[in-house]
Amino acid sequence: MAPSLLLVLGVLAYPVAWEVWVSLTDFSSHSTSAAAFVGLANYARLVTDVDFWAALLTTVLYFAVTTAAKLVLGIALALLLARPGRGRALVFLAVFLPWAYPGGVSVIGWYWLLNPPITTSYSTFMGGIKYSVDGALGTGAWAFTSVALFNIWRGSSFAAIFLLAGLNAIPTELFEYAQLETRSAWQRLHAVTLPLLRPYMALAVFLSFTTAFADLANVWMLTGGRVVFPVLGTQAYWLGIKAGRFAEGAARSLSLVPLLVLAVLLLFHWFDRREEEDRAA
Amino acid sequence: MRRRRAARALLLLVAALYGLFPVYYVTVQSLKTPEEDVFGNPFYVADPTFENYTELFEGDAAPVRGYVIVPHVPFAIWVFNSAIVLAATVSVTLLAGVPAAYALGRLRPPGWVWWRRALLATYVVPHTILFIPIYQLIIRLGLDDSHGALILIYTTMALPFCVWLLSAYYRHLPREIEESALVEGATPPRAFLRVVLPMSRNVLVAAGLFTLGTAANDFMLASIFLLDRHQQTVAAGLGVMDVSLEELVAVAGVNLASIPILILCAFFARGYVRGITAAMVEGA
């Protein structure tokens, strides 16, 4: 156990501690003096910052939308793949592909598709969609949609494979029994399959966390590095690394911590429950 | 009945298209000449050319495009570097992860539930925001511009989930398996290496493939930590290329580099699913 703990905690402890410390100072590349301790001033500033609340809202919304879509698509694909049939192996590989394919390139594919460069033949068409979406829902809505679509595409592949593994774990007799006891396929899904899959779904949600809150590379690429719509991650990155206002960036990224802790504890409660039974036994 | 079968076939087709289309799309673009990229139909290529692919291997002869001299890329070196980094990441992750998982799942030191949870919780730590302090750490360790930096970071990104998966497996594995090996006269380390480890093959595959996918997906960290052109991985090298001019070449490059990864994934995909299943249910 020691090597792993040393690796993970050792590599992460210093950066996280640094981030916390910096968020309590006025460290910035704009000032020439040494960083001074300012207490919670950076956080206090966040509370009154309209941009911050907007970004927080977008981040949570982004997480909710993508995770819900990933779960629904993942369950649908997993159910489709769970039953034997012709061509299943090939479709299985096709479903596996989005996750296996390096995200750095497939993101370019999506970028060209959804936000094409001006010079392509279909850019007028896509531009039309972009402006109608932005017009109806406000500037940045299309960027939000494209980032979410990419995230869903890649994440649902992972979720589908993961949930397929979960479906395989359920004894077939249970399904046969359910077939006798329930009236419709929907009822069966609701009463039998979903509850049995719950720990897997919770774990999948947990794993999708990182892509929503932390992995800003997709957002960065798909919006061409512009802050078209604010997510806390990109805002923090922009402030901290592009603008050199390290302290404010750090405070912004750390502001997510309470939310993350709460959500992680909740999810642990769902997918790691057997632990308690073990101890009781 | 026939209608249901047709509906199912249709759904399977939709699922396949859903997964394949963006990759198909990227590949189509990478086979285009600049002219066709601008004027052609986005969904297919009328006049495929491997220009973008051969350009990757052109070596020192920097091609000239219009007024622009395109710098040559040491693509073969990048592929080699990527292979080193990925292979090392997977090995280090498994080497560090297996003992940890076995300890957490089987030996159960005091407080193991919380150690295990804490380890998994580090998965949500956003590495991309922690650039600056991570960079300081890397420099302190003397790893800047070396593959070690990426191996270290990727390992910490993949380890939490791998340890979780493997320890779930070892926890559910019946104790009798090791006990019978011990009765046969094996020492505990030997029983682990000869009996338990081979049994967990599928779970190891699952953990390894997860690590591979996680590491291969990154390009942001790679382009930040590797600046020397001859140390760069494919992701790092192509990530910093001038995207506006070179995008087709960049895509061709990653497309080419992703082929071995995709073959590995296709080869191990079954084991991946079985491994996750095995980890979550029982040690069988």
Side-chain angles (χ1 to χ4, degrees):
Chain A
M1 187 166 84
S4 275
L5 281 179
L6 206 68
L7 254 171
V8 173
L9 301 180
V11 169
L12 289 179
Y14 172 73
V16 171
W18 187 87
E19 196 85 355
V20 172
W21 160 245
V22 157
S23 76
L24 299 175
T25 66
D26 63 354
F27 187 39
S28 143
S29 61
H30 297 291
S31 68
T32 44
S33 55
F37 184 78
V38 293
L40 295 172
N42 288 314
Y43 294 96
R45 203 173 313 157
L46 281 184
V47 179
T48 54
D49 186 351
V50 185
D51 282 349
F52 167 75
W53 292 106
L56 185 65
L57 193 71
T58 334
T59 311
V60 173
L61 186 71
Y62 177 63
F63 170 70
V65 168
T66 53
T67 305
K70 275 187 259 189
L71 276 184
V72 171
L73 275 171
I75 291 169
L77 289 170
L79 286 172
L80 193 64
L81 288 172
R83 253 191 261 161
R86 229 188 304 165
R88 187 175 71 139
L90 286 177
V91 178
F92 169 72
L93 287 180
V95 170
F96 199 67
L97 183 71
W99 185 74
Y101 196 82
V105 178
S106 47
V107 81
I108 296 179
W110 281 89
Y111 180 64
W112 283 344
L113 191 67
L114 297 169
N115 304 294
I118 307 161
T119 48
T120 52
S121 49
Y122 57 103
S123 58
T124 358
F125 176 70
M126 291 313 292
I129 296 183
K130 173 181 161 31
Y131 288 119
S132 58
V133 170
D134 273 3
L137 300 167
T139 313
W142 181 243
F144 182 85
T145 316
S146 23
V147 175
L149 277 177
F150 173 74
N151 189 308
I152 291 166
W153 178 69
R154 195 161 189 275
S156 64
S157 158
F158 184 77
I161 302 299
F162 197 75
L163 293 174
L164 177 63
L167 277 179
N168 288 345
I170 300 170
T172 29
E173 300 89 61
L174 261 174
F175 284 114
E176 281 157 19
Y177 189 65
Q179 202 118 33
L180 298 175
E181 288 288 310
T182 52
R183 246 165 289 142
S184 70
W186 282 115
Q187 198 188 356
R188 207 151 57 231
L189 183 72
H190 182 75
V192 181
T193 315
L194 290 187
L196 285 170
L197 277 182
R198 201 177 62 180
Y200 295 88
M201 294 196 300
L203 195 53
V205 169
F206 177 87
L207 295 171
S208 121
F209 242 63
T210 335
T211 58
F213 289 107
D215 186 10
L216 54 104
N218 304 333
V219 180
W220 200 251
M221 282 299 280
L222 266 171
T223 52
R226 296 179 299 272
V227 187
V228 181
F229 74 96
V231 182
L232 279 179
T234 41
Q235 255 187 7
Y237 182 80
W238 210 91
L239 275 174
I241 294 183
K242 295 275 166 178
R245 287 150 73 182
F246 305 119
E248 286 165 68
R252 212 161 279 240
S253 40
L254 285 173
S255 64
L256 275 175
V257 167
L259 213 66
L260 283 177
V261 169
L262 187 74
V264 165
L265 285 178
L266 206 65
L267 287 170
F268 273 138
H269 178 69
W270 275 328
F271 70 75
D272 201 25
R273 214 190 312 209
R274 264 180 272 172
E275 236 77 83
E276 271 78 35
E277 291 158 28
D278 274 10
R279 264 183 301 179
Chain B
M1 203 58 207
R2 179 181 279 178
R3 257 182 63 194
R4 280 188 64 180
R5 286 228 342 238
R8 203 182 121 76
L10 191 72
L11 280 176
L12 280 174
L13 191 71
V14 170
L17 280 180
Y18 169 76
L20 287 175
F21 180 70
V23 175
Y24 162 80
Y25 179 80
V26 166
T27 310
V28 161
Q29 310 306 318
S30 73
L31 291 172
K32 285 181 176 176
T33 57
E35 292 77 37
E36 204 185 337
D37 185 33
V38 174
F39 299 111
N41 187 303
F43 295 115
Y44 64 89
V45 51
D47 179 23
T49 164
F50 284 94
E51 193 181 281
N52 295 313
Y53 288 86
T54 49
E55 207 164 278
L56 289 168
F57 294 101
E58 234 138 66
D60 286 322
V64 180
R65 255 199 212 162
Y67 298 105
V68 186
I69 298 172
V70 182
H72 81 277
V73 294
F75 187 70
I77 296 178
W78 288 352
V79 170
F80 183 65
N81 288 337
S82 291
I84 292 179
V85 168
L86 290 181
T89 304
V90 173
S91 338
V92 174
T93 305
L94 290 183
L95 276 178
V98 166
Y102 191 70
L104 287 171
R106 180 61 97 206
L107 308 176
R108 305 196 188 170
W112 66 276
V113 175
W114 289 102
W115 281 117
R116 187 161 173 254
R117 289 186 175 185
L119 206 55
L120 184 62
T122 60
Y123 185 76
V124 294
V125 173
H127 287 75
T128 28
I129 297 177
L130 294 176
F131 283 141
I132 303 172
I134 290 180
Y135 211 121
Q136 292 178 338
L137 186 75
I138 293 296
I139 289 176
R140 198 74 55 88
L141 290 171
L143 287 175
D144 52 319
D145 243 338
S146 102
H147 297 151
L150 282 189
I151 296 168
L152 196 65
I153 298 171
Y154 290 162
T155 305
T156 58
M157 282 165 73
L159 256 180
F161 181 65
C162 291
V163 170
W164 180 272
L165 203 64
L166 282 161
S167 64
Y169 177 79
Y170 292 131
R171 190 151 59 93
H172 297 140
L173 197 71
R175 259 175 207 283
E176 291 80 48
I177 289 170
E178 283 130 297
E179 276 159 13
S180 62
L182 293 179
V183 169
E184 298 284 327
T187 55
R190 212 178 143 77
F192 174 73
L193 284 178
R194 284 298 174 83
V195 181
V196 177
L197 211 54
M199 283 187 71
S200 56
R201 196 184 56 228
N202 277 334
V203 192
L204 291 176
V205 165
L209 211 58
F210 178 83
T211 311
L212 188 69
T214 307
N217 181 39
D218 167 75
F219 63 98
M220 224 165 171
L221 293 167
S223 55
I224 284 171
F225 289 109
L226 295 177
L227 297 173
D228 179 353
R229 283 180 86 69
H230 290 275
Q231 289 288 318
Q232 277 171 341
T233 58
V234 174
L238 297 171
V240 295
M241 253 166 137
D242 189 347
V243 176
S244 61
L245 271 177
E246 293 279 279
E247 47 194 14
L248 290 181
V249 181
V251 167
V254 186
N255 236 343
L256 206 59
S258 67
I259 290 173
I261 297 175
L262 292 182
I263 291 174
L264 273 178
C265 284
F267 189 71
F268 286 118
R270 294 256 150 216
Y272 181 75
V273 175
R274 287 209 189 106
I276 295 177
T277 307
M280 302 309 269
V281 204
E282 66 218 311

Coordinates of all heavy atoms in Angstrom, one line a residue, chain B residues 129-163:
Chain B
I129 N -5.7 22.2 -13.4 CA -5.7 23.5 -12.7 C -4.5 23.6 -11.8 O -4.1 24.7 -11.5 CB -7.0 23.7 -11.9 CG1 -8.2 23.7 -12.9 CG2 -7.0 25.0 -11.2 CD1 -9.5 23.8 -12.2
L130 N -3.9 22.5 -11.5 CA -2.8 22.6 -10.6 C -1.4 22.7 -11.3 O -0.4 22.4 -10.7 CB -2.8 21.3 -9.7 CG -4.0 21.1 -8.7 CD1 -3.9 19.8 -8.0 CD2 -4.0 22.3 -7.7
F131 N -1.5 23.1 -12.6 CA -0.3 23.2 -13.3 C 0.9 23.8 -12.6 O 2.0 23.2 -12.5 CB -0.5 24.3 -14.4 CG -1.2 23.7 -15.6 CD1 -2.1 24.5 -16.2 CD2 -1.0 22.5 -16.0 CE1 -2.8 24.1 -17.3 CE2 -1.7 22.0 -17.1 CZ -2.6 22.8 -17.8
I132 N 0.7 25.0 -12.0 CA 1.8 25.7 -11.4 C 2.5 25.0 -10.3 O 3.7 24.7 -10.4 CB 1.4 27.2 -11.0 CG1 0.7 27.9 -12.2 CG2 2.5 27.9 -10.4 CD1 0.1 29.2 -11.8
P133 N 1.8 24.6 -9.3 CA 2.5 23.8 -8.2 C 3.0 22.5 -8.7 O 4.1 22.1 -8.3 CB 1.4 23.6 -7.2 CG 0.1 23.9 -7.8 CD 0.4 24.9 -8.9
I134 N 2.3 21.8 -9.6 CA 2.9 20.6 -10.2 C 4.2 20.8 -10.9 O 5.2 20.1 -10.7 CB 1.9 19.9 -11.1 CG1 0.7 19.3 -10.3 CG2 2.5 18.7 -11.8 CD1 -0.4 18.6 -11.1
Y135 N 4.2 21.9 -11.6 CA 5.5 22.3 -12.3 C 6.6 22.5 -11.3 O 7.7 22.0 -11.5 CB 5.2 23.5 -13.2 CG 6.1 23.5 -14.4 CD1 5.5 23.5 -15.7 CD2 7.5 23.4 -14.3 CE1 6.3 23.5 -16.8 CE2 8.3 23.4 -15.5 CZ 7.6 23.4 -16.7 OH 8.4 23.3 -17.8
Q136 N 6.3 23.2 -10.3 CA 7.3 23.4 -9.2 C 7.9 22.1 -8.7 O 9.1 21.9 -8.6 CB 6.8 24.2 -8.1 CG 6.4 25.6 -8.4 CD 5.8 26.4 -7.3 OE1 5.3 25.8 -6.3 NE2 5.9 27.7 -7.3
L137 N 6.9 21.2 -8.5 CA 7.3 19.9 -7.9 C 8.2 19.1 -8.9 O 9.2 18.5 -8.6 CB 6.0 19.1 -7.7 CG 6.2 17.7 -7.0 CD1 6.5 17.9 -5.5 CD2 5.0 16.9 -7.2
I138 N 7.8 19.2 -10.2 CA 8.5 18.5 -11.2 C 10.0 19.0 -11.4 O 10.9 18.3 -11.5 CB 7.8 18.6 -12.6 CG1 6.4 17.9 -12.6 CG2 8.6 18.1 -13.7 CD1 6.5 16.5 -12.4
I139 N 10.1 20.3 -11.3 CA 11.4 20.9 -11.3 C 12.2 20.6 -10.1 O 13.4 20.2 -10.2 CB 11.3 22.5 -11.5 CG1 10.8 22.8 -12.9 CG2 12.6 23.1 -11.3 CD1 10.5 24.2 -13.1
R140 N 11.6 20.6 -9.0 CA 12.3 20.2 -7.7 C 12.8 18.8 -7.8 O 13.9 18.4 -7.4 CB 11.3 20.3 -6.5 CG 11.9 20.3 -5.2 CD 12.6 21.7 -4.9 NE 11.8 22.8 -5.0 CZ 11.0 23.3 -4.1 NH1 10.9 22.7 -2.9 NH2 10.3 24.4 -4.3
L141 N 12.0 17.9 -8.5 CA 12.5 16.5 -8.7 C 13.4 16.4 -9.8 O 13.9 15.3 -10.1 CB 11.2 15.6 -8.9 CG 10.3 15.4 -7.8 CD1 9.0 14.7 -8.2 CD2 10.9 14.6 -6.7
G142 N 13.7 17.4 -10.5 CA 14.6 17.4 -11.7 C 14.1 16.6 -12.8 O 14.8 16.0 -13.6
L143 N 12.8 16.6 -13.0 CA 12.1 15.8 -14.0 C 11.6 16.7 -15.2 O 10.9 16.2 -16.1 CB 10.9 15.1 -13.5 CG 11.3 13.9 -12.6 CD1 10.0 13.3 -12.0 CD2 12.0 12.8 -13.4
D144 N 11.9 18.0 -15.2 CA 11.4 18.8 -16.3 C 12.0 18.4 -17.6 O 13.2 18.0 -17.7 CB 11.6 20.3 -16.0 CG 13.1 20.6 -15.7 OD1 13.7 19.8 -15.0 OD2 13.6 21.6 -16.2
D145 N 11.1 18.4 -18.6 CA 11.5 18.0 -19.9 C 11.9 16.6 -20.0 O 12.6 16.2 -20.9 CB 12.6 18.9 -20.5 CG 12.1 19.7 -21.7 OD1 11.2 19.2 -22.3 OD2 12.7 20.7 -22.0
S146 N 11.4 15.8 -19.1 CA 11.8 14.4 -19.2 C 10.5 13.5 -19.2 O 9.5 14.0 -18.7 CB 12.7 13.9 -18.1 OG 12.0 13.2 -17.1
H147 N 10.6 12.3 -19.6 CA 9.4 11.5 -19.7 C 8.9 11.2 -18.3 O 7.7 10.9 -18.1 CB 9.7 10.2 -20.4 CG 10.0 10.4 -21.8 ND1 10.9 9.6 -22.5 CD2 9.7 11.4 -22.7 CE1 11.0 10.1 -23.8 NE2 10.3 11.2 -23.9
G148 N 9.8 11.2 -17.3 CA 9.5 10.9 -16.0 C 8.3 11.7 -15.4 O 7.4 11.3 -14.7
A149 N 8.3 13.0 -15.8 CA 7.3 13.9 -15.4 C 5.9 13.4 -15.8 O 5.0 13.3 -15.0 CB 7.5 15.3 -16.0
L150 N 5.8 13.0 -17.0 CA 4.4 12.6 -17.5 C 4.1 11.3 -16.9 O 2.9 11.0 -16.5 CB 4.5 12.4 -19.0 CG 4.3 13.7 -19.8 CD1 4.1 13.4 -21.3 CD2 3.2 14.6 -19.3
I151 N 5.1 10.4 -16.8 CA 4.8 9.1 -16.2 C 4.2 9.2 -14.8 O 3.3 8.6 -14.4 CB 6.0 8.2 -16.2 CG1 6.5 7.9 -17.7 CG2 5.8 6.9 -15.5 CD1 7.8 7.3 -17.8
L152 N 4.9 10.1 -14.0 CA 4.5 10.4 -12.7 C 3.1 10.9 -12.6 O 2.2 10.4 -11.8 CB 5.5 11.4 -12.0 CG 5.5 11.5 -10.5 CD1 6.0 10.2 -9.9 CD2 6.4 12.6 -10.1
I153 N 2.8 11.9 -13.4 CA 1.5 12.5 -13.4 C 0.4 11.6 -13.8 O -0.7 11.4 -13.2 CB 1.5 13.8 -14.2 CG1 2.5 14.8 -13.6 CG2 0.1 14.5 -14.1 CD1 2.7 16.0 -14.4
Y154 N 0.6 10.9 -15.0 CA -0.4 10.0 -15.5 C -0.7 8.9 -14.4 O -1.8 8.5 -14.3 CB 0.1 9.4 -16.8 CG 0.1 10.3 -18.0 CD1 0.8 10.0 -19.1 CD2 -0.6 11.5 -17.9 CE1 0.9 10.8 -20.2 CE2 -0.6 12.3 -19.0 CZ 0.2 12.0 -20.2 OH 0.2 12.8 -21.2
T155 N 0.4 8.4 -13.8 CA 0.2 7.4 -12.8 C -0.7 7.8 -11.7 O -1.6 7.1 -11.3 CB 1.6 6.9 -12.3 OG1 2.4 6.6 -13.3 CG2 1.4 5.8 -11.3
T156 N -0.5 9.0 -11.2 CA -1.3 9.5 -10.1 C -2.8 9.7 -10.6 O -3.7 9.7 -9.8 CB -0.8 10.8 -9.5 OG1 -0.8 11.8 -10.6 CG2 0.5 10.7 -8.9
M157 N -2.9 10.0 -11.9 CA -4.3 10.1 -12.4 C -5.0 8.8 -12.5 O -6.2 8.8 -12.3 CB -4.3 10.8 -13.8 CG -4.0 12.3 -13.7 SD -3.5 12.9 -15.4 CE -5.1 12.9 -16.2
A158 N -4.3 7.8 -12.9 CA -5.0 6.5 -13.1 C -5.1 5.6 -11.9 O -6.0 4.8 -11.7 CB -4.3 5.7 -14.2
L159 N -4.1 5.8 -11.0 CA -4.0 4.9 -9.8 C -5.3 4.8 -9.0 O -5.7 3.7 -8.6 CB -2.8 5.3 -8.9 CG -1.6 4.4 -9.0 CD1 -0.5 5.0 -8.0 CD2 -1.9 3.0 -8.6
P160 N -5.9 5.9 -8.6 CA -7.1 5.8 -7.7 C -8.1 4.8 -8.2 O -8.5 3.9 -7.4 CB -7.6 7.2 -7.7 CG -6.5 8.1 -8.1 CD -5.6 7.3 -9.0
F161 N -8.5 4.9 -9.5 CA -9.5 4.0 -9.9 C -9.0 2.5 -10.0 O -9.7 1.6 -9.7 CB -10.1 4.4 -11.3 CG -11.2 3.6 -11.8 CD1 -12.4 3.5 -11.1 CD2 -11.0 2.8 -12.9 CE1 -13.4 2.6 -11.5 CE2 -12.0 2.0 -13.4 CZ -13.2 1.9 -12.7
C162 N -7.7 2.4 -10.4 CA -7.2 1.1 -10.6 C -7.1 0.4 -9.2 O -7.4 -0.8 -9.1 CB -5.8 1.1 -11.2 SG -5.8 1.6 -12.9
V163 N -6.6 1.1 -8.2 CA -6.5 0.5 -6.9 C -7.9 0.1 -6.4 O -8.1 -1.0 -5.8 CB -5.9 1.5 -5.9 CG1 -6.0 0.9 -4.5 CG2 -4.4 1.6 -6.3

